[in-house]
Amino acid sequence: SVVQSISKIVLDWEAAYARDYRIEVLLSMEEEKLNNNNKTTWIPLFDSHVDSEYRTTTESGQSPGVKTKTPLHIVHTIDFNNNNRQQPFQYLRLYIRKSAMGWGVSLWQLDVYGIMMEE
């Protein structure tokens, strides 16, 4: 299957989360091999430096065993506000540039909403 367009991406982080990241897509490995002599080119779909208006943050819960008040879940919802990203792709990756806490990241779940089409 190939995703045709994306309307929303939801990242559910643990207390160790990232604010600075990119979400990138790749059509298919076979297509890349034909077009670029085995060179893989990931296409930016979301970049926290330039697309921050699409992202909202909610926090919930309390991390167990932590003395300072730290949320258990930090949820980033990237909503493209009816400006669906029309980039067909088969692979998606999360490229983390920097942790918000300074010591790594932990992602519970990543959900992608959009329209899929069969190849």
Side-chain angles (χ1 to χ4, degrees):
S1 296
V2 173
V3 174
Q4 184 62 35
S5 68
I6 293 180
S7 57
K8 180 168 61 172
I9 298 172
V10 179
L11 298 98
D12 185 357
W13 304 90
E14 197 173 3
Y17 69 102
R19 274 195 205 111
D20 187 5
Y21 56 86
R22 277 194 325 253
I23 298 174
E24 302 172 330
V25 296
L26 179 67
L27 180 55
S28 72
M29 292 296 194
E30 293 77 24
E31 187 75 22
E32 285 296 313
K33 287 177 184 176
L34 291 173
N35 291 337
N36 296 320
N37 298 325
N38 294 328
K39 181 181 175 188
T40 303
T41 305
W42 289 87
I43 301 165
L45 187 67
F46 172 84
D47 186 325
S48 61
H49 286 175
V50 295
D51 295 321
S52 61
E53 73 271 12
Y54 295 117
R55 181 176 67 190
T56 58
T57 302
T58 56
E59 298 178 354
S60 65
Q62 170 64 39
S63 290
V66 179
K67 291 181 182 179
T68 59
K69 185 170 170 50
T70 306
L72 182 59
H73 292 271
I74 292 102
V75 177
H76 290 168
T77 301
I78 301 164
D79 189 342
F80 296 111
N81 300 320
N82 298 321
N83 290 325
N84 291 354
R85 299 295 164 112
Q86 300 291 326
Q87 178 64 50
F89 70 93
Q90 191 169 12
Y91 301 98
L92 180 137
R93 76 176 177 185
L94 174 62
Y95 180 81
I96 297 169
R97 289 188 286 243
K98 187 175 180 184
S99 165
M101 305 304 280
W103 41 265
V105 297
S106 179
L107 184 67
W108 294 101
Q109 185 169 322
L110 187 150
D111 297 316
V112 178
Y113 299 86
I115 300 170
M116 290 183 64
M117 63 183 223
E118 297 294 324
E119 284 189 302

